[in-house]
Amino acid sequence: MALVAGIGVGLFVLILFGVLAVVGCYFASATSRAPLFIGAITAAYVIMLIVLLFSPKQSEVGDTKAETTDSRTANTYILMAALALTAVISIIAVCTNYLATPITAKAI
């Protein structure tokens, strides 16, 4: 199995589906039924994420003796920390742009 920086292909598939979900939500926001479409896209992504995260991995299925090295663990933790930071920044950006009410001045 090909690894990129010690991380398997599955994580990159999850990232790809996450990006597609964000793009889908962006285009759905222009429709008149935006909350319905965005909710459906988000629910589909969360269900797919849960199924893929809890499905057995290749090393858990077979009796292969794959050892986890320190560099592989460190790379995984660094990537997961970067993804978590990106998620937090994205949530803050969404809250700032869409949920905050704008303050407007009175006309002179």
Side-chain angles (χ1 to χ4, degrees), residues 48-104:
M48 190 252 342
L49 183 69
I50 290 171
V51 167
L52 289 178
L53 285 178
F54 290 116
S55 64
K57 308 324 181 254
Q58 182 179 5
S59 62
E60 296 173 1
V61 174
D63 287 328
T64 60
K65 298 198 176 200
E67 295 182 16
T68 304
T69 61
D70 290 338
S71 63
R72 181 177 175 190
T73 304
N75 288 341
T76 304
Y77 287 146
I78 289 170
L79 183 64
M80 293 305 287
L83 290 173
L85 181 66
T86 304
V88 169
I89 291 172
S90 300
I91 290 171
I92 291 171
V94 166
C95 290
T96 303
N97 287 332
Y98 292 107
L99 300 178
T101 57
I103 300 173
T104 56

